[in-house]
Amino acid sequence: MPSYESSDGSALHYDDVRRKGSDGDNCPVILLAGGAARHPSYLGDLAGLSDRHRLIVPHLRGVGRTAAPDTEERGSFWTQADDIEHLRVHLGLDRVVLVAHSAGTRLAIAYAAQFALRVARLVLITPPAAYLVDEPSDARTLSEKRRGDSIFDAAFAALEAGPQTVDDDGFNAWQQESAPAGYSTWGATERSHATMGRWSLPATKAYFSVPPPRDLPARLGQVLAPVLVIAGAEDCLTGLAPVTALARLFPTGECVVIDGSGHYPWVEQPAAFRGAIDAFLEQPSKSATTSA
């Protein structure tokens, strides 16, 4: 597994995913997993995205092959933006295309806020947005539509109770109990996907150990790179209204809502997901400073 050295001397590992016989050497994409601190194997290759792009998938601090940091602060999403910058340099890229899912969008946003000129494109998949926007969440309204189904009722109860544990095994067991809440349906595909990618409880705590600056929403107005927000129409984890509102913080932000999808649109609606992300990644560059 390839690795690179970050500013504190740590060896940070990543997967380099290139489908044989594809044109995936064009436009490398750095793909950031959520969880938080979930092994990136649950992303797969985003419904075959590696057939068009080389995917660079970091193992974040304390996850997979990358060791836990010496301090919690070094493992925070805000501080790990520096790791992504060192990865950019290591890859020899002038600017980066970042694609991130869920809690991984916090890291992508932190990077964009701190290294705005180094972002070529930014894709935020079902991002938590309550910490950035004032739009009231409609997650409870969406979840009410599923009440009465025993599987979803049990999942929502577990989600609301939170993890009652101090170890990794208990934390992962709770994630499995609450997993159905992240999908619009609970068929064989969803059940199989929910078992992929183990969480690290210490890395999760470290990830949220440093609050972002209060002016972060304002800073996003300085990110001139094209930004795509992908929302699940039935995402009971983030809600829909705050996610669509997030796109409006970026000068060139746009939002695509995937019908029939919860928190994992590439799993539940792969064709619609690929249609949205392919069109965005392959469109000509736009600039917020270009006059009409």
Side-chain angles (χ1 to χ4, degrees):
M1 173 180 286
S3 65
Y4 67 101
E5 187 175 296
S6 195
S7 59
D8 63 351
S10 297
L12 307 180
H13 298 268
Y14 62 93
D15 297 320
D16 191 339
V17 183
R18 284 180 276 191
R19 183 172 296 185
K20 186 176 181 180
S22 73
D23 57 355
D25 284 333
N26 299 320
C27 186
V29 167
I30 296 177
L31 178 55
L32 302 176
R38 186 175 181 180
H39 192 285
S41 58
Y42 83 95
L43 294 169
D45 68 349
L46 285 191
L49 192 63
S50 63
D51 63 1
R52 298 193 183 187
H53 302 276
R54 176 188 178 194
L55 304 182
I56 305 296
V57 191
H59 289 208
L60 302 182
R61 301 265 182 161
V63 177
R65 293 289 299 277
T66 296
D70 292 335
T71 64
E72 277 198 339
E73 178 181 355
R74 197 66 189 81
S76 71
F77 70 84
W78 185 256
T79 307
Q80 286 193 77
D82 182 65
D83 294 342
I84 304 304
E85 173 62 3
H86 277 72
L87 177 58
R88 179 194 67 79
V89 174
H90 166 76
L91 295 171
L93 300 175
D94 180 57
R95 296 189 299 161
V96 296
V97 176
L98 287 177
V99 175
H101 172 245
S102 191
T105 65
R106 289 178 178 262
L107 174 53
I109 287 170
Y111 181 84
Q114 295 176 62
F115 302 97
L117 296 180
R118 294 302 185 182
V119 179
R121 290 184 188 276
L122 183 62
V123 180
L124 306 174
I125 306 168
T126 58
Y131 73 109
L132 292 169
V133 301
D134 294 328
E135 187 75 25
S137 177
D138 52 354
R140 183 172 293 276
T141 300
L142 293 175
S143 65
E144 287 296 329
K145 297 179 181 179
R146 301 189 208 168
R147 296 294 182 182
D149 183 307
S150 60
I151 292 176
F152 285 114
D153 284 346
F156 290 133
L159 194 64
E160 292 169 1
Q164 307 298 312
T165 183
V166 295
D167 61 43
D168 264 5
D169 286 343
F171 188 58
N172 278 271
W174 172 76
Q175 295 284 1
Q176 293 303 312
E177 291 173 7
S178 60
Y183 302 87
S184 64
T185 59
W186 190 238
T189 298
E190 291 77 19
R191 293 195 300 272
S192 176
H193 179 258
T195 66
M196 299 176 183
R198 185 174 173 84
W199 286 260
S200 168
L201 180 56
T204 298
K205 292 179 178 179
Y207 197 75
F208 295 106
S209 63
V210 175
R214 292 184 177 180
D215 67 343
L216 179 55
R219 290 194 194 189
L220 299 185
Q222 304 303 311
V223 178
L224 303 183
V227 177
L228 173 65
V229 177
I230 299 179
E234 300 175 37
D235 190 343
C236 296
L237 300 185
T238 64
L240 179 57
V243 177
T244 57
L246 175 61
R248 297 193 289 270
L249 294 183
F250 298 94
T252 59
E254 59 181 288
C255 183
V256 172
V257 179
I258 307 294
D259 291 331
S261 176
H263 202 55
Y264 305 94
W266 72 94
V267 175
E268 295 195 273
Q269 300 295 336
F273 172 81
R274 281 298 303 274
I277 196 170
D278 287 349
F280 176 75
L281 293 179
E282 294 169 15
Q283 69 186 14
S285 295
K286 297 185 295 184
S287 172
T289 60
T290 300
S291 58

